[in-house]
Amino acid sequence: MKKKLTFLGIETSCDETAASVVQENSNGTAKVLSNVVSSQIREHKKFGGVVPEIAARAHVENVDFIIKEALKKSKKKIKDLDGIAATAGPGLVVCLHVGYNIGKSISEFGEKKFFPINHLEGHALSPSIENKISFPYLLLLVSGGHSQYLIVKGLNNYKRIGTTIDDAVGEAFDKTARILNLGYPGGPNVEKFSKLGNKNSYDLPQPIINRAGCNLSLAGLKTDVLRKSKNIKSDQDRYNLAASFQDTINKILRKKTEVAMKMFLDEVTNKHDNSFVVAGGVAANETIRKSLKEICEKRNFKAVFPSKEFCGDNGAMIAWAGIQRYKKKLFSKKDEIVRSRWPLDKYAPFLKGPGLKI
Ligand code: AMP
Ligand code: MG
């Protein structure tokens, strides 16, 4: 019987210290033997956002313990592993260094192969941890730092068809929560308080909704939330504005997803079951999930949502990307370094900044 590959994955690109041991299954999915995540919510709460130096220090304090815990829970020792994967970008460089350096050191001393992983590739491949899914598929990645539509054509073969030209969706949730004083972390709190509000109370803008393909723009929406927040008189007004904001994001994602689906169908010739995958922290939002599932039904796409534990940042998706790279013999150069920017589609233009023409 062919040996099943087992990898340790380490993730420290932002504010989660995470490690996981993952073993491949014979049917193309993965068995997650352990998945340990330590969130730094407490550290960043009083600042209302992630402070890079504080995040890096917390990673240093936790990472060895988290890795030990992941190994212990999986009942594996370093000698049992086939390789070690660690996030090498994109993300906060001071944070990336922590997981990358410890992963590289363990692999050197344990004489294991080391895989520096693109965090976005981790998200892009995460649906196949739990689901048998064939390439190509359409991916919406919506997290704190990224919002993109990608055609995942295969391992190491990604085409970005849309991106945010300013704020990421998670970032817009976080900023709205800060403006409305709903607490940190923003996304889950906006979702929670939206349930108490009336989503039809405020009419908010949907920038570039009818142009620029499936690119997104959210800065104008956030600015309008800020402007309207000045006239808030009661808690009920805050909840109403939160609900209206969430509903506006929902409408934008519905519309842009329909555009992205059309682009996918035009671009891809070797179709299978037209899967549409939503990954990243925002994919945890129930209203958005429900709404995108409806679009899938309408457009004949198969909706795939990774479980919530694999939506946010985690080590399992990094280990899983490492396993898939190992199988395809996609080894990295020894001198690969961490990087803050690392687009999955290297041909996609950089679409951020003033004066953009889209
Ligand atoms: P990630 O960058 O993938 O770790 O995801 C974190 C981002 O997801 C943050 O910006 C959160 O505010 C956002 N997020 C997490 N849960 C939710 C939710 N339920 N609704 C909206 N955004 C969320
Ligand atoms: Mg992420």
Side-chain angles (χ1 to χ4, degrees):
M1 206 177 71
K2 239 178 106 193
K3 185 175 183 288
K4 287 180 182 163
L5 294 174
T6 307
F7 264 57
L8 167 69
I10 305 166
E11 157 63 44
T12 61
S13 65
C14 190
D15 59 342
E16 257 106 27
T17 318
S20 164
V21 178
V22 173
Q23 189 171 60
E24 63 172 337
N25 285 326
S26 45
N27 68 352
T29 61
K31 191 169 178 184
V32 177
L33 303 178
S34 63
N35 189 26
V36 185
V37 183
S38 161
S39 173
Q40 302 174 2
I41 288 173
R42 235 170 355 123
E43 279 85 345
H44 302 294
K45 203 172 182 138
K46 58 177 171 291
F47 303 101
V50 178
V51 183
E53 277 69 25
I54 293 177
R57 194 185 310 162
H59 286 311
V60 172
E61 279 168 9
N62 292 324
V63 74
D64 47 352
F65 171 75
I66 298 293
I67 292 172
K68 232 169 137 179
E69 199 58 18
L71 286 166
K72 195 170 143 201
K73 282 195 171 149
S74 72
K75 302 195 170 54
K76 297 283 178 198
K77 300 226 178 312
I78 289 169
K79 69 175 173 47
D80 304 322
L81 303 172
D82 298 289
I84 292 161
T87 306
L92 301 167
V93 166
V94 281
C95 296
L96 289 163
H97 269 300
V98 180
Y100 178 90
N101 290 347
I102 196 163
K104 194 156 181 274
S105 306
I106 297 172
S107 68
E108 278 297 322
F109 294 125
E111 297 179 350
K112 304 290 172 189
K113 279 232 170 304
F114 179 62
F115 289 79
I117 299 293
N118 184 319
H119 178 86
L120 303 175
E121 180 167 77
H123 279 302
L125 302 177
S126 65
S128 57
I129 293 177
E130 305 162 286
N131 305 278
K132 277 180 79 171
I133 178 169
S134 350
F135 299 120
Y137 51 86
L138 177 65
L139 172 79
L140 168 61
L141 172 59
V142 266
S143 68
H146 307 274
S147 294
Q148 310 187 341
Y149 287 98
L150 290 152
I151 299 178
V152 183
K153 296 185 173 185
L155 178 65
N156 212 25
N157 187 358
Y158 309 97
K159 178 167 181 172
R160 195 194 74 195
I161 55 172
T163 185
T164 176
I165 60 164
D166 40 57
D167 292 354
V169 179
E171 190 182 355
F173 267 94
D174 294 334
K175 285 178 178 167
T176 296
R178 213 175 312 158
I179 292 168
L180 298 177
N181 217 358
L182 296 175
Y184 179 85
N189 280 321
V190 170
E191 182 172 21
K192 184 171 133 196
F193 289 105
S194 288
K195 292 197 177 95
L196 307 174
N198 175 356
K199 65 180 186 195
N200 300 316
S201 309
Y202 291 89
D203 188 20
L204 298 170
Q206 299 171 33
I208 66 168
I209 193 71
N210 289 317
R211 61 184 186 92
C214 59
N215 287 314
L216 303 161
S217 170
L218 303 170
L221 168 59
K222 170 198 65 191
T223 308
D224 203 43
V225 169
L226 179 63
R227 196 175 313 128
K228 293 195 161 94
S229 71
K230 311 267 189 238
N231 297 322
I232 277 177
K233 298 198 172 53
S234 64
D235 278 347
Q236 190 57 53
D237 286 347
R238 285 163 65 221
Y239 307 151
N240 289 347
L241 190 46
S244 300
F245 163 80
Q246 182 175 272
D247 185 53
T248 306
I249 292 277
N250 204 18
K251 284 181 181 147
I252 293 171
L253 290 180
R254 282 176 78 105
K255 173 74 198 287
K256 293 293 181 174
T257 297
E258 292 205 70
V259 176
M261 284 174 170
K262 186 166 181 315
M263 289 170 82
F264 174 86
L265 295 175
D266 289 345
E267 162 89 17
V268 163
T269 47
N270 57 332
K271 297 178 190 67
H272 290 281
D273 45 11
N274 289 347
S275 295
F276 173 60
V277 178
V278 189
V282 182
N285 185 292
E286 289 298 341
T287 308
I288 292 174
R289 274 182 178 241
K290 189 166 160 267
S291 177
L292 294 178
K293 275 183 190 156
E294 282 166 18
I295 299 290
C296 282
E297 272 165 34
K298 185 172 151 200
R299 297 279 160 200
N300 232 348
F301 272 72
K302 187 175 140 201
V304 180
F305 285 86
S307 306
K308 288 191 184 171
E309 65 175 314
F310 304 126
C311 277
D313 292 345
N314 64 87
M317 68 180 191
I318 303 303
W320 184 226
I323 289 178
Q324 297 190 58
R325 287 197 156 254
Y326 188 116
K327 284 165 76 87
K328 290 268 178 202
K329 299 194 168 43
L330 288 170
F331 303 118
S332 304
K333 289 181 225 87
K334 272 263 175 202
D335 56 356
E336 195 103 49
I337 50 158
V338 303
R339 52 197 107 161
S340 57
R341 263 199 86 230
W342 187 359
L344 266 189
D345 174 357
K346 60 175 186 283
Y347 301 107
F350 187 59
L351 281 188
K352 276 193 175 182
L356 264 179
K357 292 205 171 41
I358 51 164

